[in-house]
Structures are given as structure tokens and as C-alpha cells.
């Protein structure tokens, strides 16, 4: 199966990226674009999170509920975004058409890839080793990592979002990082015209 954009990771950054891209798929400039997200969430820090300090979230909101509700929100509002469950990415390599993404079950081809998994040193996706550095905004004793990037771009068409992009572990920051990457991709789809999507009534 092949895509224009494949998002890896179903946490705050990955789901935010998918939601913003999903909202753009109805635009003429996105005609024919196929987007998917591998919604692996087992290592998301949201699994154990409790939120009292996030604008727009009811105090006491649980992170695990955000993860579940986010997948439902994506499926209900933007069903064109394909959700791939129960697969874990093992390797990313360059291919003639962009990137080959190999999971524990199959292989996908995608023109562009967004990596939005956690920032622990347990990251073991082959093909990313040369970009792994010590995280610049985490306590040294936590042994956190980031994928070296410039403005979320690791190299052409390979993006990183959230804490793995070098941002602090704060829900609003990770969500914003995912949305940032999505608007960069929308801008590419729209022939370089700066693009953002707002829902209006």
C-alpha cells in the first residue's frame, strides 16, 4: 500500500498531525492525496497522564481517554485518513518513491513520513540511527533523545513531531508540533502557498 503521507505514532503529536491533514483532504489542492497513521500508542506518555492545566480540557481529563477519543474523532470526522492499528514500525529506508516503511506485519511506501513517537532511548526504528542525539530540553538523567532536525524537517520529506523533535514533554506543545508539521505538508500540497485550515460556522 502506498501513501502521500504516513504518520508514525498515535500520541498527541501524531493524532494532531493526522487531524489537521484530514481536515485539509477536502480541499482541491489535496485531491488524490492518501494519508495514513500507524496508531501505535503503547509507549505514549499520555497513557498515564492526568490533565488539569490544558486550555480547553476539563480538569481531571485522563490521557488514555484522549488517546481513545482522538482515534474516534479522526475516524468520525476524517475517515479518509487510514488508521493502521496493531503494527509497530521496525525500519524506514529510502525508496525510489520516497520511503519504505517496514512494520512487524507488512511494508508501506510513502512519499513523506512523519515520525511522532516518544522520546525515550528505547526508540529502535532502523534507519534513524544517524539522527539520534541527546534531547536538548530534558534532564540528562532521564536519558531522553531527539531526532536532529531543522524546523521539524530531518531531511526532504522526512519529518519529526512532538517530544522526539526536541520539544518539551507538555501536551499542548506536542499537539502544536504535530499541527505545525501538518500545515507544512498542506503548504507543500498547495504548491508552496502558506496554508492552514480553520473550521468555521
Amino acid at each position: 500500500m502506498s501513501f502521500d503521507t504516513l504518520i508514525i505514532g498515535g500520541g498527541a503529536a501524531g493524532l494532531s498531525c493526522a487531524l489537521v491533514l484530514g481536515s485539509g483532504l477536502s480541499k482541491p489542492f489535496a485531491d488524490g492525496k492518501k494519508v495514513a497513521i500507524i496508531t501505535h500508542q503503547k509507549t505514549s506518555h499520555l497513557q498515564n497522564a492526568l490533565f488539569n492545566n490544558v486550555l480547553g480540557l476539563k480538569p481531571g481529563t485522563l490521557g488514555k481517554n484522549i488517546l481513545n477519543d482522538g482515534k474516534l474523532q479522526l475516524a468520525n470526522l476524517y475517515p479518509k485518513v487510514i488508521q493502521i492499528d496493531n503494527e509497530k514500525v521496525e525500519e524506514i529506508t529510502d525508496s525510489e518513491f520516497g520511503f519504505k516503511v517496514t512494520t512487524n506485519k507488512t511494508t508501506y511506501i510513502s512519499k513523506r513520513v512523519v515520525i511522532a513517537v516518544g522520546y525515550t532511548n528505547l526508540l529502535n526504528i532502523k534507519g534513524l540511527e544517524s539522527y539520534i542525539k541527546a534531547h536538548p530540553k530534558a534532564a540528562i538523567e532521564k536519558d531522553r533523545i531527539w531526532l536532529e532536525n531543522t524546523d521539524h524537517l530531518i531531511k526532504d520529506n522526512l519529518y519529526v513531531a512532538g517530544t522526539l523533535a526536541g520539544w518539551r514533554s507538555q501536551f499542548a506543545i506536542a499537539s502544536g508540533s504535530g499541527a505545525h508539521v501538518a500545515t507544512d505538508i498542506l503548504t507543500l500540497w498547495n504548491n508552496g502557498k502558506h496554508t492552514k485550515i480553520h473550521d468555521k460556522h
Side-chain angles (χ1 to χ4, degrees):
M1 198 178 293
S2 62
F3 305 105
D4 176 89
T5 302
L6 178 59
I7 302 161
I8 299 168
L15 285 171
S16 292
C17 185
L19 285 163
V20 174
L21 286 179
S23 69
L25 285 175
S26 61
K27 302 297 183 184
F29 61 75
D31 187 47
K33 304 292 188 200
K34 283 179 67 177
V35 176
I37 178 171
I38 297 176
T39 55
H40 187 73
Q41 298 178 324
K42 289 188 174 86
T43 58
S44 173
H45 284 93
L46 289 185
Q47 292 287 5
N48 304 310
L50 167 70
F51 293 107
N52 293 318
N53 64 352
V54 179
L55 180 66
L57 289 185
K58 183 179 176 183
T61 296
L62 298 178
K64 65 182 179 182
N65 293 339
I66 291 173
L67 291 173
N68 293 329
D69 293 348
K71 290 187 352 182
L72 288 173
Q73 180 183 357
L74 182 61
N76 291 333
L77 291 176
Y78 310 115
K80 286 186 177 179
V81 176
I82 298 165
Q83 292 191 46
I84 302 167
D85 291 318
N86 302 315
E87 292 188 32
K88 190 169 182 182
V89 174
E90 295 179 341
E91 185 173 16
I92 299 172
T93 54
D94 293 333
S95 84
E96 183 182 353
F97 302 104
F99 300 95
K100 181 168 78 168
V101 177
T102 304
T103 74
N104 57 326
K105 294 185 179 177
T106 191
T107 298
Y108 302 100
I109 299 295
S110 189
K111 182 173 183 179
R112 52 188 62 84
V113 171
V114 180
I115 304 160
V117 297
Y119 68 152
T120 70
N121 62 356
L122 299 175
L123 179 76
N124 56 4
I125 300 173
K126 291 179 186 168
L128 300 178
E129 298 88 352
S130 62
Y131 306 110
I132 295 174
K133 310 288 183 200
H135 198 284
K137 294 179 180 174
I140 292 172
E141 62 272 15
K142 296 258 188 189
D143 202 18
R144 303 299 192 209
I145 61 167
W146 75 310
L147 296 182
E148 195 168 32
N149 68 88
T150 302
D151 199 21
H152 293 94
L153 192 64
I154 298 171
K155 65 178 185 177
D156 282 350
N157 291 318
L158 182 62
Y159 295 84
V160 59
T163 53
L164 193 61
W167 301 108
R168 288 192 176 91
S169 180
Q170 232 17 76
F171 176 75
I173 295 172
S175 296
S177 174
H180 180 137
V181 170
T183 57
D184 283 350
I185 293 170
L186 291 172
T187 297
L188 286 176
W189 288 354
N190 201 12
N191 294 315
K193 182 179 178 183
H194 286 291
T195 303
K196 56 192 178 296
I197 306 289
H198 293 299
D199 298 323
K200 297 178 182 176
H201 67 277

PDB file of all heavy atoms in Angstrom, residues 44-64:
ATOM      1  N   SER A  44       3.106   5.815  24.541  1.00  0.00           N
ATOM      2  CA  SER A  44       2.775   7.229  24.700  1.00  0.00           C
ATOM      3  C   SER A  44       2.724   7.593  26.179  1.00  0.00           C
ATOM      4  O   SER A  44       2.130   6.879  26.994  1.00  0.00           O
ATOM      5  CB  SER A  44       1.417   7.533  24.049  1.00  0.00           C
ATOM      6  OG  SER A  44       1.036   8.863  24.355  1.00  0.00           O
ATOM      7  N   HIS A  45       3.331   8.736  26.505  1.00  0.00           N
ATOM      8  CA  HIS A  45       3.287   9.220  27.883  1.00  0.00           C
ATOM      9  C   HIS A  45       1.866   9.589  28.309  1.00  0.00           C
ATOM     10  O   HIS A  45       1.583   9.742  29.493  1.00  0.00           O
ATOM     11  CB  HIS A  45       4.231  10.411  28.059  1.00  0.00           C
ATOM     12  CG  HIS A  45       5.668  10.017  28.122  1.00  0.00           C
ATOM     13  ND1 HIS A  45       6.475   9.993  27.007  1.00  0.00           N
ATOM     14  CD2 HIS A  45       6.441   9.591  29.148  1.00  0.00           C
ATOM     15  CE1 HIS A  45       7.685   9.579  27.354  1.00  0.00           C
ATOM     16  NE2 HIS A  45       7.694   9.327  28.636  1.00  0.00           N
ATOM     17  N   LEU A  46       0.966   9.737  27.335  1.00  0.00           N
ATOM     18  CA  LEU A  46      -0.419  10.058  27.674  1.00  0.00           C
ATOM     19  C   LEU A  46      -1.121   8.911  28.391  1.00  0.00           C
ATOM     20  O   LEU A  46      -2.117   9.138  29.083  1.00  0.00           O
ATOM     21  CB  LEU A  46      -1.215  10.401  26.410  1.00  0.00           C
ATOM     22  CG  LEU A  46      -0.891  11.722  25.714  1.00  0.00           C
ATOM     23  CD1 LEU A  46      -1.852  11.951  24.564  1.00  0.00           C
ATOM     24  CD2 LEU A  46      -0.956  12.877  26.681  1.00  0.00           C
ATOM     25  N   GLN A  47      -0.621   7.698  28.243  1.00  0.00           N
ATOM     26  CA  GLN A  47      -1.278   6.541  28.866  1.00  0.00           C
ATOM     27  C   GLN A  47      -1.474   6.738  30.370  1.00  0.00           C
ATOM     28  O   GLN A  47      -2.456   6.279  30.949  1.00  0.00           O
ATOM     29  CB  GLN A  47      -0.468   5.258  28.610  1.00  0.00           C
ATOM     30  CG  GLN A  47      -0.451   4.802  27.168  1.00  0.00           C
ATOM     31  CD  GLN A  47      -1.767   4.199  26.703  1.00  0.00           C
ATOM     32  OE1 GLN A  47      -2.754   4.184  27.413  1.00  0.00           O
ATOM     33  NE2 GLN A  47      -1.783   3.711  25.475  1.00  0.00           N
ATOM     34  N   ASN A  48      -0.531   7.434  31.014  1.00  0.00           N
ATOM     35  CA  ASN A  48      -0.580   7.608  32.465  1.00  0.00           C
ATOM     36  C   ASN A  48      -0.807   9.061  32.897  1.00  0.00           C
ATOM     37  O   ASN A  48      -0.635   9.389  34.058  1.00  0.00           O
ATOM     38  CB  ASN A  48       0.725   7.104  33.098  1.00  0.00           C
ATOM     39  CG  ASN A  48       0.996   5.668  32.737  1.00  0.00           C
ATOM     40  OD1 ASN A  48       0.131   4.818  32.865  1.00  0.00           O
ATOM     41  ND2 ASN A  48       2.196   5.392  32.256  1.00  0.00           N
ATOM     42  N   ALA A  49      -1.204   9.909  31.944  1.00  0.00           N
ATOM     43  CA  ALA A  49      -1.285  11.339  32.237  1.00  0.00           C
ATOM     44  C   ALA A  49      -2.643  11.741  32.805  1.00  0.00           C
ATOM     45  O   ALA A  49      -3.670  11.144  32.506  1.00  0.00           O
ATOM     46  CB  ALA A  49      -1.013  12.142  30.957  1.00  0.00           C
ATOM     47  N   LEU A  50      -2.599  12.778  33.641  1.00  0.00           N
ATOM     48  CA  LEU A  50      -3.791  13.426  34.185  1.00  0.00           C
ATOM     49  C   LEU A  50      -3.642  14.916  33.896  1.00  0.00           C
ATOM     50  O   LEU A  50      -2.599  15.506  34.183  1.00  0.00           O
ATOM     51  CB  LEU A  50      -3.879  13.199  35.697  1.00  0.00           C
ATOM     52  CG  LEU A  50      -4.882  14.049  36.468  1.00  0.00           C
ATOM     53  CD1 LEU A  50      -6.307  13.621  36.123  1.00  0.00           C
ATOM     54  CD2 LEU A  50      -4.650  13.936  37.970  1.00  0.00           C
ATOM     55  N   PHE A  51      -4.693  15.534  33.289  1.00  0.00           N
ATOM     56  CA  PHE A  51      -4.572  16.924  32.863  1.00  0.00           C
ATOM     57  C   PHE A  51      -5.486  17.840  33.651  1.00  0.00           C
ATOM     58  O   PHE A  51      -6.700  17.656  33.675  1.00  0.00           O
ATOM     59  CB  PHE A  51      -4.880  17.054  31.363  1.00  0.00           C
ATOM     60  CG  PHE A  51      -3.853  16.383  30.504  1.00  0.00           C
ATOM     61  CD1 PHE A  51      -4.150  15.193  29.854  1.00  0.00           C
ATOM     62  CD2 PHE A  51      -2.596  16.921  30.349  1.00  0.00           C
ATOM     63  CE1 PHE A  51      -3.204  14.564  29.071  1.00  0.00           C
ATOM     64  CE2 PHE A  51      -1.638  16.303  29.568  1.00  0.00           C
ATOM     65  CZ  PHE A  51      -1.949  15.119  28.925  1.00  0.00           C
ATOM     66  N   ASN A  52      -4.879  18.838  34.291  1.00  0.00           N
ATOM     67  CA  ASN A  52      -5.609  19.912  34.949  1.00  0.00           C
ATOM     68  C   ASN A  52      -5.247  21.271  34.352  1.00  0.00           C
ATOM     69  O   ASN A  52      -5.949  22.248  34.589  1.00  0.00           O
ATOM     70  CB  ASN A  52      -5.311  19.938  36.452  1.00  0.00           C
ATOM     71  CG  ASN A  52      -5.853  18.705  37.162  1.00  0.00           C
ATOM     72  OD1 ASN A  52      -6.959  18.263  36.883  1.00  0.00           O
ATOM     73  ND2 ASN A  52      -5.064  18.153  38.060  1.00  0.00           N
ATOM     74  N   ASN A  53      -4.157  21.341  33.598  1.00  0.00           N
ATOM     75  CA  ASN A  53      -3.607  22.635  33.194  1.00  0.00           C
ATOM     76  C   ASN A  53      -3.603  22.858  31.681  1.00  0.00           C
ATOM     77  O   ASN A  53      -2.773  23.592  31.161  1.00  0.00           O
ATOM     78  CB  ASN A  53      -2.177  22.796  33.738  1.00  0.00           C
ATOM     79  CG  ASN A  53      -1.212  21.773  33.138  1.00  0.00           C
ATOM     80  OD1 ASN A  53      -1.619  20.849  32.439  1.00  0.00           O
ATOM     81  ND2 ASN A  53       0.069  21.939  33.425  1.00  0.00           N
ATOM     82  N   VAL A  54      -4.528  22.213  30.950  1.00  0.00           N
ATOM     83  CA  VAL A  54      -4.565  22.357  29.496  1.00  0.00           C
ATOM     84  C   VAL A  54      -5.818  23.112  29.086  1.00  0.00           C
ATOM     85  O   VAL A  54      -6.938  22.708  29.414  1.00  0.00           O
ATOM     86  CB  VAL A  54      -4.529  20.979  28.793  1.00  0.00           C
ATOM     87  CG1 VAL A  54      -4.605  21.157  27.285  1.00  0.00           C
ATOM     88  CG2 VAL A  54      -3.263  20.227  29.179  1.00  0.00           C
ATOM     89  N   LEU A  55      -5.639  24.219  28.391  1.00  0.00           N
ATOM     90  CA  LEU A  55      -6.747  25.027  27.917  1.00  0.00           C
ATOM     91  C   LEU A  55      -7.702  24.174  27.081  1.00  0.00           C
ATOM     92  O   LEU A  55      -7.290  23.471  26.159  1.00  0.00           O
ATOM     93  CB  LEU A  55      -6.217  26.186  27.071  1.00  0.00           C
ATOM     94  CG  LEU A  55      -7.264  27.138  26.482  1.00  0.00           C
ATOM     95  CD1 LEU A  55      -7.976  27.902  27.595  1.00  0.00           C
ATOM     96  CD2 LEU A  55      -6.614  28.089  25.504  1.00  0.00           C
ATOM     97  N   GLY A  56      -8.980  24.219  27.423  1.00  0.00           N
ATOM     98  CA  GLY A  56      -9.987  23.506  26.647  1.00  0.00           C
ATOM     99  C   GLY A  56     -10.287  22.100  27.126  1.00  0.00           C
ATOM    100  O   GLY A  56     -11.274  21.506  26.696  1.00  0.00           O
ATOM    101  N   LEU A  57      -9.459  21.563  28.008  1.00  0.00           N
ATOM    102  CA  LEU A  57      -9.720  20.233  28.557  1.00  0.00           C
ATOM    103  C   LEU A  57     -10.292  20.366  29.959  1.00  0.00           C
ATOM    104  O   LEU A  57      -9.800  21.152  30.777  1.00  0.00           O
ATOM    105  CB  LEU A  57      -8.429  19.400  28.637  1.00  0.00           C
ATOM    106  CG  LEU A  57      -7.810  18.911  27.337  1.00  0.00           C
ATOM    107  CD1 LEU A  57      -6.614  18.010  27.644  1.00  0.00           C
ATOM    108  CD2 LEU A  57      -8.816  18.172  26.474  1.00  0.00           C
ATOM    109  N   LYS A  58     -11.314  19.596  30.231  1.00  0.00           N
ATOM    110  CA  LYS A  58     -11.911  19.595  31.566  1.00  0.00           C
ATOM    111  C   LYS A  58     -10.877  19.099  32.573  1.00  0.00           C
ATOM    112  O   LYS A  58     -10.227  18.077  32.347  1.00  0.00           O
ATOM    113  CB  LYS A  58     -13.134  18.675  31.571  1.00  0.00           C
ATOM    114  CG  LYS A  58     -13.885  18.650  32.871  1.00  0.00           C
ATOM    115  CD  LYS A  58     -15.089  17.732  32.772  1.00  0.00           C
ATOM    116  CE  LYS A  58     -15.785  17.641  34.127  1.00  0.00           C
ATOM    117  NZ  LYS A  58     -16.918  16.708  34.081  1.00  0.00           N
ATOM    118  N   PRO A  59     -10.665  19.809  33.688  1.00  0.00           N
ATOM    119  CA  PRO A  59      -9.714  19.332  34.698  1.00  0.00           C
ATOM    120  C   PRO A  59     -10.036  17.903  35.115  1.00  0.00           C
ATOM    121  O   PRO A  59     -11.199  17.528  35.271  1.00  0.00           O
ATOM    122  CB  PRO A  59      -9.918  20.313  35.862  1.00  0.00           C
ATOM    123  CG  PRO A  59     -10.391  21.566  35.208  1.00  0.00           C
ATOM    124  CD  PRO A  59     -11.252  21.113  34.056  1.00  0.00           C
ATOM    125  N   GLY A  60      -8.988  17.101  35.245  1.00  0.00           N
ATOM    126  CA  GLY A  60      -9.155  15.697  35.579  1.00  0.00           C
ATOM    127  C   GLY A  60      -9.203  14.786  34.368  1.00  0.00           C
ATOM    128  O   GLY A  60      -9.339  13.564  34.509  1.00  0.00           O
ATOM    129  N   THR A  61      -9.081  15.354  33.167  1.00  0.00           N
ATOM    130  CA  THR A  61      -9.083  14.537  31.944  1.00  0.00           C
ATOM    131  C   THR A  61      -7.893  13.589  31.962  1.00  0.00           C
ATOM    132  O   THR A  61      -6.773  13.976  32.294  1.00  0.00           O
ATOM    133  CB  THR A  61      -9.021  15.435  30.692  1.00  0.00           C
ATOM    134  OG1 THR A  61     -10.201  16.232  30.639  1.00  0.00           O
ATOM    135  CG2 THR A  61      -8.908  14.611  29.420  1.00  0.00           C
ATOM    136  N   LEU A  62      -8.156  12.340  31.608  1.00  0.00           N
ATOM    137  CA  LEU A  62      -7.095  11.329  31.565  1.00  0.00           C
ATOM    138  C   LEU A  62      -6.513  11.227  30.161  1.00  0.00           C
ATOM    139  O   LEU A  62      -7.245  11.219  29.162  1.00  0.00           O
ATOM    140  CB  LEU A  62      -7.647   9.962  31.986  1.00  0.00           C
ATOM    141  CG  LEU A  62      -8.204   9.865  33.410  1.00  0.00           C
ATOM    142  CD1 LEU A  62      -8.768   8.466  33.659  1.00  0.00           C
ATOM    143  CD2 LEU A  62      -7.123  10.205  34.432  1.00  0.00           C
ATOM    144  N   GLY A  63      -5.199  11.098  30.117  1.00  0.00           N
ATOM    145  CA  GLY A  63      -4.510  10.970  28.840  1.00  0.00           C
ATOM    146  C   GLY A  63      -4.957   9.766  28.037  1.00  0.00           C
ATOM    147  O   GLY A  63      -5.106   9.834  26.815  1.00  0.00           O
ATOM    148  N   LYS A  64      -5.196   8.638  28.716  1.00  0.00           N
ATOM    149  CA  LYS A  64      -5.616   7.431  27.988  1.00  0.00           C
ATOM    150  C   LYS A  64      -6.956   7.639  27.300  1.00  0.00           C
ATOM    151  O   LYS A  64      -7.210   7.082  26.223  1.00  0.00           O
ATOM    152  CB  LYS A  64      -5.651   6.220  28.922  1.00  0.00           C
ATOM    153  CG  LYS A  64      -6.669   6.292  30.037  1.00  0.00           C
ATOM    154  CD  LYS A  64      -6.579   5.066  30.932  1.00  0.00           C
ATOM    155  CE  LYS A  64      -7.593   5.134  32.070  1.00  0.00           C
ATOM    156  NZ  LYS A  64      -7.487   3.975  32.968  1.00  0.00           N
TER     157      LYS A  64
END
